[in-house]
Amino acid sequence: MSENVVHLHKPTDPPTGDTAPTVLTVVPDAVAPAAPVVPLWVRSGRAVKTVATHERTKTAARAVARHSLYTLNGGRIVARRTWDGRTGARYERMIRAAEAAGNLEVAEEWEERLQRFRAARHHRRMDLLHSPVEAAKGVAVGAGMSIGALVALGVVMAINNGDIADVITPLAATIDFIAAVIRIVQIVWGPALTIGPFLALLTLWAVGSKQQAAPAWSMPDHVRSGEGEPITPSIVVKALRDLGVPALRNAIKEMGDAGASMLGPIRIAGCGVEVDVTLPSGVSTNEVQNRRRKLAENLTRHEHEVFITIPTAARTVRLWVADSGALDEPIGPSPLVTDETMTADYAKGRAPWGQDLRGDAAALSLYQRHLLITGLSNQGKTVALRSLALWLALDRSVEFLLGDLKGVGDWAMFDGRARVLIQGPTDEHVIQVTEMVEGAVQEMNRRIQAPPGTTFPALIVLVDEAQMAFMCPAKDEENRPYGGSKATSRYFMAVRKIHNQGRAVNVLMWQGTQDPTDQNLPKLVREGAHTRASLALGTESQARMALGDKAVDGGAAPNLLRPGLDQGTLVVASSGIDIPAGQASLTVRTHYIDDDAAKAIIERAKALRDGVTTLHAIDRSEERDPLADIASVVGTAERVRTKDVLSRLGTLNADAYGGWSFIDLKRVLDGTGAEPYKSDGVMVISRDRLARALANRDADGSASAAE
């Protein structure tokens, strides 16, 4: 164990006084080493490194490199322009571009222009052979005439002034003027020789700066980021050249700067621009489609800001490039919210759904079209589906059967407008929804059996979160499953029957599903929909399930939408929406209608028609009271047409009333005082008469019981 040694001593030279003070010194046994001394050259190196890597140093270095390269590349641009102006290089490039594009007629036209240019140039050169002699003659004649004119002027002056010396005065003045000009040139010539090169360099710098002829790394941060950079032909050509397709790159190299001949006009299209690109021979359209992300990055855009579709022209791709950040901005409110006088027309109208990428209104026809909307969870599927139903609810003739298998109140506002509204996620709710759809099948069969030419109002059978029905494990008393996709699966078979025959009699199936697979969205069901729309999905295989192979092969890519960021944006494939010629789908940014606005719209819809008694469950009891059931389906309306009563009875209980006809209805009502009667040319049933019939029956029953 080490110890410290203590020494007591007196200093040899005390500062003051006779007696030297005693000094106590503690000497440790082990003295800590002193801090190392950093050599000067090391400290200098660190300082140099700090200065060299400082952001200001980097910015200054980039600025020096940028402006130097502006001057150098500006010289190259000027030289290239001069060469193009003096030779036929421009024409030759255009010929090569036309040949690479396979357009021989254009190539022949440019060949003719080249021949005319060469002939004109030859003519000018031949004229130059004779121009020196002609110029000398012209100078001699001009000088002689000028001297003669000056002498004549001097003679006139001499006669006028009476002085013979005035004869040479004009000539002397001219000589003095020429001498003064020579002296001015002599004075200016020296500084001009000094300043001239600097002016030339400044001119070259200006050309290079205007063209931004410097590498991207040397540009300022706001330019280097590419945010907001406009799309020009040269940028598109460079993006295609660097796409990684060898045949395309080689063809563009052969074209030179005329690669822009592949491009059609760049048109403003909504919040972006649109351009058609005719690919050179040997390059297929799918080679460009499969490199969407790289193309977007080459255009200084994010992947979701570039859309590639296939127009009608052969070997052509259509690029739509959004302005940076434009797709992250919300679109305006729905016309359903802003126009309180709007009504709907199922047969001839179109539902205002949103805007396409060009900024044009996207309106969807719902007439005799089954509908399927799918997407990942929380992407706006229910709101998109509900906005269509809200518009159609403004047509007083349309009836709704609604099944919401999420059950959180997204469709609660349809209470009082829909004939049936079932809300809940349990197996019991799935059973209720299945029986609701089966009731719609019975109504469809009744309509099909009606006399030819009979018209029927639209009946929309809408099931949200339909994947719950397909995945339901419950079975009925006969051991038939409610879910699944087999021939014994009740929900699946009911949907298939409506898909097969419902359109002709205006019984339509609308479904909203989540995260589609072959299990929760069978192939026959998804292909039975006329209008198929998809929000953001996870994979291309899901996109093909949602929209079909044709739409995906034509450029539809809901799997490339950004979950969470592109909420409400969907890709739709339908004959009911205006899709540009040659495209198989359209990307739509749908309007967002919140719950409060939806409630207000439904209140307007209720005001357009008599009240509707909404059923919240399908009654499956064996014993029925036909008169009470008729009164319940008539509801609060003053009178209802008999065919509507039959339709509602079939929905109430398909087993009891699915096969009813007018004769059965009349049989029940005969003798009650509520018999059907004709009003405005159609047979109707009166609410008040039914109420009196029920009251009289109850009174008679009570009297009989008392006796």
Side-chain angles (χ1 to χ4, degrees):
M1 182 176 180
S2 61
E3 297 180 355
N4 294 335
V5 181
V6 180
H7 299 279
L8 296 174
H9 63 88
K10 293 182 179 180
T12 55
D13 297 320
T16 56
D18 296 334
T19 304
T22 301
V23 179
L24 177 64
T25 305
V26 180
V27 181
D29 187 41
V31 180
V37 179
V38 180
L40 179 61
W41 65 271
V42 174
R43 285 181 287 173
S44 301
R46 291 176 179 173
V48 170
K49 181 179 179 182
T50 302
V51 173
T53 57
H54 196 274
E55 187 61 32
R56 292 182 179 178
T57 305
K58 294 180 180 179
T59 302
R62 285 200 300 266
V64 171
R66 179 169 67 254
H67 293 291
S68 300
L69 291 169
Y70 278 167
T71 305
L72 176 62
N73 292 327
R76 293 176 55 191
I77 293 172
V78 171
R80 183 67 173 270
R81 291 175 179 174
T82 304
W83 177 258
D84 287 345
R86 302 291 296 177
T87 67
R90 178 184 292 109
Y91 299 93
E92 293 173 356
R93 284 200 305 273
M94 298 302 291
I95 292 171
R96 290 197 300 271
E99 290 176 346
N103 197 335
L104 299 182
E105 293 182 359
V106 175
E108 292 176 358
E109 181 181 347
W110 282 107
E111 178 69 23
E112 293 177 1
R113 293 183 182 183
L114 177 59
Q115 294 299 331
R116 291 197 297 268
F117 169 80
R118 287 174 174 171
R121 183 179 60 184
H122 176 72
H123 182 72
R124 290 194 302 270
R125 288 177 177 176
M126 294 302 295
D127 290 342
L128 288 176
L129 296 177
H130 306 285
S131 59
V133 176
E134 299 296 333
K137 291 180 180 179
V139 169
V141 172
M145 294 179 64
S146 299
I147 293 173
L150 292 173
V151 171
L153 179 61
V155 171
V156 172
M157 291 176 62
I159 295 173
N160 184 59
N161 297 330
D163 187 358
I164 191 64
D166 287 343
V167 173
I168 62 172
T169 297
L171 188 59
T174 302
I175 294 173
D176 291 340
F177 174 75
I178 294 174
V181 172
I182 293 173
R183 283 195 298 272
I184 293 172
V185 171
Q186 288 175 340
I187 295 172
V188 175
W189 184 254
L193 290 178
T194 304
I195 299 174
F198 291 102
L199 294 177
L201 291 175
L202 181 61
T203 302
L204 297 179
W205 175 88
V207 173
S209 176
K210 185 176 181 180
Q211 298 292 328
Q212 291 192 346
W217 59 263
S218 65
M219 293 296 182
D221 292 337
H222 69 279
V223 176
R224 192 167 65 252
S225 66
E227 293 296 331
E229 184 177 4
I231 300 299
T232 63
S234 60
I235 289 177
V236 177
V237 171
K238 290 178 182 178
L240 294 170
R241 182 193 64 194
D242 300 335
L243 201 54
V245 181
L248 181 59
R249 181 179 62 250
N250 295 335
I252 293 176
K253 284 183 178 179
E254 292 179 2
M255 297 176 194
D257 287 345
S261 62
M262 297 188 305
L263 310 182
I266 297 180
R267 305 176 295 273
I268 295 177
C271 57
V273 296
E274 186 177 75
V275 59
D276 287 350
V277 181
T278 302
L279 301 176
S281 178
V283 182
S284 63
T285 54
N286 64 345
E287 289 181 287
V288 177
Q289 281 185 299
N290 294 337
R291 291 170 171 81
R292 176 184 174 188
R293 173 175 294 180
K294 190 170 186 179
L295 178 61
E297 293 172 349
N298 291 348
L299 293 169
T300 64
R301 295 295 190 272
H302 297 291
E303 184 177 13
H304 72 278
E305 295 176 328
V306 175
F307 289 83
I308 306 172
T309 54
I310 310 299
T312 53
R315 212 172 65 240
T316 302
V317 294
R318 178 168 294 161
L319 307 180
W320 185 87
V321 185
D323 299 334
S324 292
L327 294 184
D328 297 326
E329 298 294 330
I331 64 174
S334 170
L336 289 172
V337 177
T338 58
D339 185 3
E340 295 185 357
T341 63
M342 175 176 284
T343 57
D345 186 340
Y346 161 73
K348 299 179 181 179
R350 289 174 176 256
W353 211 6
Q355 294 180 359
D356 62 17
L357 297 179
R358 299 173 60 90
D360 298 330
L364 180 67
S365 172
L366 304 173
Y367 179 65
Q368 293 189 343
R369 289 179 175 88
H370 301 303
L371 176 67
L372 172 66
I373 298 181
T374 186
L376 298 178
S377 176
N378 195 33
Q379 299 305 308
K381 167 181 55 63
T382 297
V383 173
L385 182 60
R386 189 176 68 183
S387 65
L388 297 177
L390 288 171
W391 176 79
L392 200 54
L394 295 174
D395 185 335
R396 58 182 299 171
S397 67
V398 176
E399 301 284 355
F400 290 93
L401 307 180
L402 296 183
D404 175 15
L405 294 179
K406 185 189 297 181
V408 295
D410 290 334
W411 298 88
M413 69 285 301
F414 277 81
D415 191 356
R417 178 62 181 86
R419 282 166 45 186
V420 176
L421 176 59
I422 299 170
Q423 302 178 89
T426 66
D427 288 349
E428 177 61 28
H429 291 100
V430 171
I431 294 172
Q432 292 279 338
V433 167
T434 300
E435 293 179 349
M436 177 190 77
V437 178
E438 290 175 339
V441 173
Q442 294 291 335
E443 168 64 12
M444 177 190 72
N445 292 334
R446 186 189 69 81
R447 293 183 177 190
I448 292 174
Q449 294 169 7
T454 306
T455 59
F456 299 97
L459 176 62
I460 306 300
V461 186
L462 191 154
V463 180
D464 195 11
E465 305 297 339
Q467 75 278 356
M468 300 287 292
F470 288 111
M471 300 299 291
C472 179
K475 296 183 179 180
D476 63 10
E477 301 83 3
E478 299 178 3
N479 205 33
R480 292 184 301 164
Y482 287 94
S485 57
K486 297 180 179 179
T488 57
S489 300
R490 292 181 59 176
Y491 180 80
F492 169 76
M493 291 305 298
V495 172
R496 287 292 300 138
K497 289 175 182 177
I498 294 177
H499 278 175
N500 289 338
Q501 295 180 297
R503 183 190 65 82
V505 290
N506 288 327
V507 177
L508 304 178
M509 191 75 208
W510 290 11
Q511 296 182 97
T513 66
Q514 188 181 117
D515 199 12
T517 65
D518 282 329
Q519 289 71 39
N520 64 25
L521 187 60
K523 186 177 190 304
L524 291 177
V525 170
R526 60 181 185 252
E527 291 186 351
H530 303 100
T531 296
R532 301 167 70 172
S534 174
L535 294 103
L537 289 173
T539 64
E540 182 180 326
S541 62
Q542 286 184 315
R544 293 183 180 276
M545 291 181 190
L547 300 177
D549 292 336
K550 180 181 178 181
V552 174
D553 291 339
N559 54 301
L560 297 181
L561 295 173
R562 301 166 299 167
L565 297 177
D566 290 326
Q567 287 182 326
T569 299
L570 50 77
V571 183
V572 58
S574 172
S575 60
I577 197 168
D578 292 333
I579 297 177
Q583 295 181 205
S585 64
L586 186 70
T587 301
V588 176
R589 304 173 68 196
T590 59
H591 295 295
Y592 176 74
I593 303 177
D594 60 26
D595 290 348
D596 293 337
K599 292 176 183 177
I601 295 170
I602 287 297
E603 291 302 320
R604 286 158 39 199
K606 292 177 183 178
L608 294 175
R609 54 174 294 157
D610 296 327
V612 175
T613 301
T614 299
L615 303 179
H616 296 278
I618 304 298
D619 191 353
R620 299 190 298 274
S621 60
E622 295 298 329
E623 295 184 3
R624 308 296 310 179
D625 183 348
L627 188 60
D629 287 344
I630 293 171
S632 69
V633 298
V634 169
T636 59
E638 182 179 354
R639 55 183 177 270
V640 179
R641 292 185 297 179
T642 53
K643 68 176 184 178
D644 291 340
V645 172
L646 289 170
S647 174
R648 296 177 186 182
L649 287 172
T651 303
L652 178 65
N653 191 294
D655 294 334
Y657 303 117
W660 269 34
S661 64
F662 176 77
I663 296 175
D664 298 306
L665 183 63
K666 187 175 182 301
R667 173 178 50 80
V668 171
L669 296 177
D670 280 346
T672 64
E675 294 85 353
Y677 65 96
K678 186 169 291 189
S679 174
D680 296 332
V682 295
M683 297 299 293
V684 298
I685 297 175
S686 169
R687 174 196 62 193
D688 296 336
R689 294 182 183 183
L690 279 171
R692 285 195 298 269
L694 284 171
N696 293 334
R697 187 187 67 174
D698 294 340
D700 293 341
S702 300
S704 300
E707 293 176 358

